[in-house]
Amino acid sequence: VGKLYVSKPDNFSFSECLWFLNRNYDDCLYLVSRDSVSRAININDKVVVLTVTESQNTLILDTGHNELDDPTKHLAVGYFCQWFDLERDISPFYRILEAHPVLRYMADDFNGLRVMNIPDVFEALIWSIIGQQINLTFAYKLKRALVEKYGAHVIHNGNAFYTFPEPLALAALTTEELREMQFSKRKAEYIVNAGSVFGNGFLSKEMLLTLSAPEKITALVALKGVGLWTANYVMMKSLNETTGVPHGDVGLLKALANHGLISDRKDEKSIVALFDMFAGWESYLVHYFWRSLAIPSDF
DNA sequence: AACCAGGTTATGC
DNA sequence: GCATAACATGGT
């Protein structure tokens, strides 16, 4: 009852993906165990807790005991497929990776890791705004406070599963309310404004997906508080654009330095040259660099 | 106890 | 057009 099946693509490792989701942080939007991940998703105003496990050749989506109609099932599968980036053939990326003298180890050590997406573009946007210029541990705390206060939740097997707050719920906030939750005044303004823009339909995922990559960037950067870093983060994590590079990202720069690929943080030439080699797969490279930050960096 | 953190905007030359 | 400052506060 309530089970859906998705076949595994090539170059896919469920455990690598879970490992990335669980890194060292406390994400309030999903629960990872050794062999499963669960999160609540909102489908047509119905909150469904999705639990994913794997068997030999398939991934098993358990939606609990709800009797879901076919369109809802289809949306649940669609959500999961984007979350784990399942519909992409990443073998071209692996060919480039394996040919790189310094980075080829990633093809073995991180084998089967996908870009872990954030299908809800509003969630991706607000999350990236929260994460600007603060350490990730604190960023996850801020996100948790926001989600637990303004998101909906359901109880499933004794755990509370939250959905990300709706745009209009955040649009209705005053900046003072967010300030009390340790958001800076600027970020509070950005978040309320973004809630208003999305909540009133001036911007939506459907709209953004009709645009070319440069047009997407332009549309996103037009929002207050969204610069190139944030726009590219949303591009790579929510809009299926594998060319997005969050320029200037401190994690990326640290990883590049760890691998001896840049001499210092202003070494633009080396960065451009490297990403040129990975043309079309830039965001995969970024994601693998982020993954590399979570292991000892003794190369 | 300084310095840094998944940056962006406002200001000043 | 490019550097610099201000933002706010937790983590290391």
Side-chain angles (χ1 to χ4, degrees):
Chain A
V1 179
K3 286 195 176 162
L4 308 168
Y5 300 89
V6 179
S7 56
K8 289 183 193 171
D10 291 336
N11 297 304
F12 175 77
S13 163
F14 188 54
S15 55
E16 266 301 323
C17 294
L18 285 192
W19 197 96
F20 186 90
L21 284 179
N22 209 22
R23 288 186 291 168
N24 309 315
Y25 300 108
D26 174 38
D27 198 306
C28 59
L29 290 174
Y30 46 75
L31 185 63
V32 180
S33 77
R34 201 175 54 75
D35 54 9
S36 76
V37 58
S38 304
R39 80 162 283 171
I41 59 175
N42 195 331
I43 309 178
N44 295 333
D45 294 325
K46 191 191 310 187
V47 177
V48 175
V49 176
L50 198 63
T51 298
V52 186
T53 53
E54 69 173 340
S55 67
Q56 193 76 16
N57 299 311
T58 59
L59 295 157
I60 305 161
L61 282 61
D62 191 338
T63 57
H65 298 294
N66 343 27
E67 285 296 336
L68 300 183
D69 54 26
D70 284 345
T72 305
K73 285 179 186 170
H74 188 253
L75 289 170
V77 170
Y79 182 96
F80 172 69
C81 288
Q82 197 196 343
W83 185 9
F84 280 65
D85 206 37
L86 290 185
E87 285 169 10
R88 199 183 305 281
D89 173 12
I90 63 171
S91 56
F93 169 66
Y94 269 72
R95 280 198 286 279
I96 308 173
L97 197 57
E98 283 161 358
H100 194 282
V102 177
L103 301 178
R104 59 177 307 155
Y105 82 94
M106 291 180 168
D108 295 322
D109 289 10
F110 309 154
N111 192 267
L113 173 65
R114 299 273 161 162
V115 168
M116 300 314 291
N117 288 308
I118 303 173
D120 176 351
V121 79
F122 184 66
E123 177 189 324
L125 177 67
I126 300 302
W127 169 232
S128 57
I129 290 173
I130 291 174
Q132 291 169 1
Q133 186 55 22
I134 58 175
N135 66 72
L136 271 181
T137 305
F138 182 41
Y140 277 102
K141 277 187 187 167
L142 288 175
K143 181 168 90 163
R144 177 177 286 280
L146 187 76
V147 167
E148 291 185 348
K149 190 155 184 186
Y150 303 110
H153 75 275
V154 295
I155 305 293
H156 180 77
N157 293 341
N159 294 306
F161 287 91
Y162 284 85
T163 54
F164 198 77
E166 294 299 315
L168 284 177
L170 299 187
L173 301 182
T174 63
T175 54
E176 288 73 24
E177 289 171 279
L178 288 169
R179 286 285 296 120
E180 286 168 17
M181 299 166 71
Q182 297 177 289
F183 287 81
S184 68
K185 187 177 179 189
R186 290 236 184 103
K187 279 189 190 174
E189 290 166 358
Y190 302 157
I191 289 168
V192 172
N193 176 252
S196 172
V197 169
F198 275 82
N200 292 307
F202 295 115
L203 211 50
S204 68
K205 184 172 186 178
E206 294 68 39
M207 240 178 264
L208 287 165
L209 285 175
T210 66
L211 305 176
S212 68
E215 290 170 337
K216 286 173 182 151
I217 295 285
T218 304
L220 289 166
V221 168
L223 289 164
K224 277 287 181 195
V226 177
L228 274 183
W229 179 87
T230 307
N232 277 293
Y233 185 92
V234 172
M235 294 275 283
M236 69 177 278
K237 297 284 270 191
S238 197
L239 299 177
N240 300 318
E241 291 283 350
T242 53
T243 56
V245 178
H247 299 279
D249 178 85
V250 294
L252 173 60
L253 291 172
K254 187 191 287 180
L256 287 164
N258 286 347
H259 288 80
L261 294 168
I262 55 172
S263 48
D264 62 70
R265 290 188 174 193
K266 295 181 305 179
D267 189 358
E268 273 297 326
K269 263 186 198 158
S270 303
I271 299 175
V272 170
L274 176 65
F275 278 95
D276 277 351
M277 295 173 55
F278 285 83
W281 295 97
E282 290 89 339
S283 60
Y284 259 84
L285 182 58
V286 169
H287 206 261
Y288 274 52
F289 274 125
W290 285 343
R291 168 66 181 81
S292 77
L293 293 171
I295 61 172
S297 53
D298 42 316
F299 299 99

